Amino acid sequence: MRAKTLTKPQGILFDLDGTLLDTAKDLGETLNYVLSTLDMPSVSYEQYRPVASHGALGLLKLGLGENWQSYEVEKLRGIFLDYYLNNISTHTDFFAGMADTLEMLNQQNILWGVVTNKPAFLTDVLLTKYPEFKHSKINVSGDTLKVRKPDPQPLFHACKHMQIDPQQTWYVGDAFRDIEAGNRAGMQTFIANWGYTQDELPVEEWQADFIIEQPSDLVSIIK
């Protein structure tokens, strides 16, 4: 974590998959279901976990291999999304310490919300499974606006709704696009290094203000 002086934020925005919720196993098992319909070999947890935040298409590319374009990808994506919707919280839960961190934010009257690239029809169902999200002030999905991360507009949209200043807001995410969006919005950016952070660039080169190893690190910084 880089040393930097911070004031108490007006609000904190979070990415969803790989930051708040560990959705990798449900997404990976969905991929393996699709592969089973093609009589193709399944993908291991170790293989699909780093790709979990890349969405249905990213996972399908992983499972189908270098010849993925030779398949009916849109049809397979539809099968993927239908199966995932029906099994969306079978193995998913908060990362260790995250629920306690959100409760601490509630106690300190720090507003928080969710900005994800996940489609709204999935986000809206998933969040109803966890009562903690009733305290979220806004949930911005990948299709809420015409653009999504790394464009900063979803972050600006969330701040406007929450009536907070983007420059007094923190954004926490586990993908390079999260940090890029947060930086472009003028926010303090935090890499959730417990998430699905595999990328062509190592996290140290993402230009984040902080790299944090566990959710409780946010509590330490605020205090």
Side-chain angles (χ1 to χ4, degrees):
M1 197 185 305
R2 296 187 218 175
K4 187 167 183 176
T5 302
L6 290 175
T7 57
K8 183 177 178 179
Q10 291 180 4
I12 300 180
L13 297 172
F14 294 92
D15 174 50
L16 183 57
D17 297 64
T19 300
L20 291 170
L21 294 178
D22 188 357
T23 56
K25 193 165 186 182
D26 283 323
L27 288 163
E29 291 304 307
T30 298
L31 170 63
N32 285 332
Y33 168 77
V34 175
L35 294 175
S36 73
T37 69
L38 301 171
D39 294 321
M40 293 184 67
S42 61
V43 175
S44 71
Y45 174 81
E46 289 73 23
Q47 290 172 300
Y48 65 65
R49 186 187 189 276
V51 188
S53 63
H54 292 196
L57 184 58
L59 285 160
L60 286 169
K61 287 180 180 178
L62 170 68
L64 298 174
E66 60 184 23
N67 296 321
W68 65 272
Q69 288 177 307
S70 64
Y71 294 87
E72 295 181 84
V73 176
E74 275 308 304
K75 180 181 177 181
L76 295 176
R77 184 174 179 272
I79 295 170
F80 183 105
L81 294 175
D82 286 345
Y83 184 90
Y84 179 59
L85 180 61
N86 290 320
N87 299 273
I88 199 165
S89 61
T90 304
H91 303 289
T92 292
D93 205 349
F94 283 99
F95 284 97
M98 180 53 77
D100 291 339
T101 296
L102 294 178
E103 177 56 28
M104 185 280 300
L105 298 181
N106 297 335
Q107 292 173 1
Q108 292 205 19
N109 296 313
I110 297 174
L111 304 179
W112 62 273
V114 178
V115 180
T116 175
N117 276 3
K118 206 178 193 77
F121 81 97
L122 296 174
T123 304
D124 294 346
V125 171
L126 181 58
L127 297 190
T128 64
K129 307 291 185 181
Y130 307 92
E132 289 85 352
F133 287 109
K134 70 178 182 290
H135 297 290
S136 175
K137 298 304 179 185
I138 188 170
N139 304 314
V140 181
S141 295
D143 49 1
T144 300
L145 306 178
K146 292 182 179 180
V147 294
R148 61 181 190 165
K149 299 176 296 182
D151 195 291
Q153 289 305 315
L155 300 180
F156 289 136
H157 177 78
C159 289
K160 184 176 180 180
H161 175 87
M162 296 166 67
Q163 297 184 317
I164 57 178
D165 181 353
Q167 294 191 352
Q168 299 298 319
T169 301
W170 298 358
Y171 189 56
V172 185
D174 70 306
F176 179 61
R177 62 178 171 270
D178 298 325
I179 303 307
E180 181 181 350
N183 286 341
R184 290 171 66 184
M187 297 179 176
Q188 302 294 327
T189 50
F190 295 74
I191 295 173
N193 210 26
W194 57 84
Y196 317 137
T197 52
Q198 180 172 304
D199 191 85
E200 294 178 5
L201 279 178
V203 293
E204 292 78 13
E205 296 180 25
W206 289 9
Q207 301 301 310
D209 295 302
F210 284 88
I211 301 173
I212 53 178
E213 301 298 332
Q214 55 193 2
S216 61
D217 288 344
L218 275 177
V219 180
S220 304
I221 294 170
I222 290 171
K223 289 181 178 179

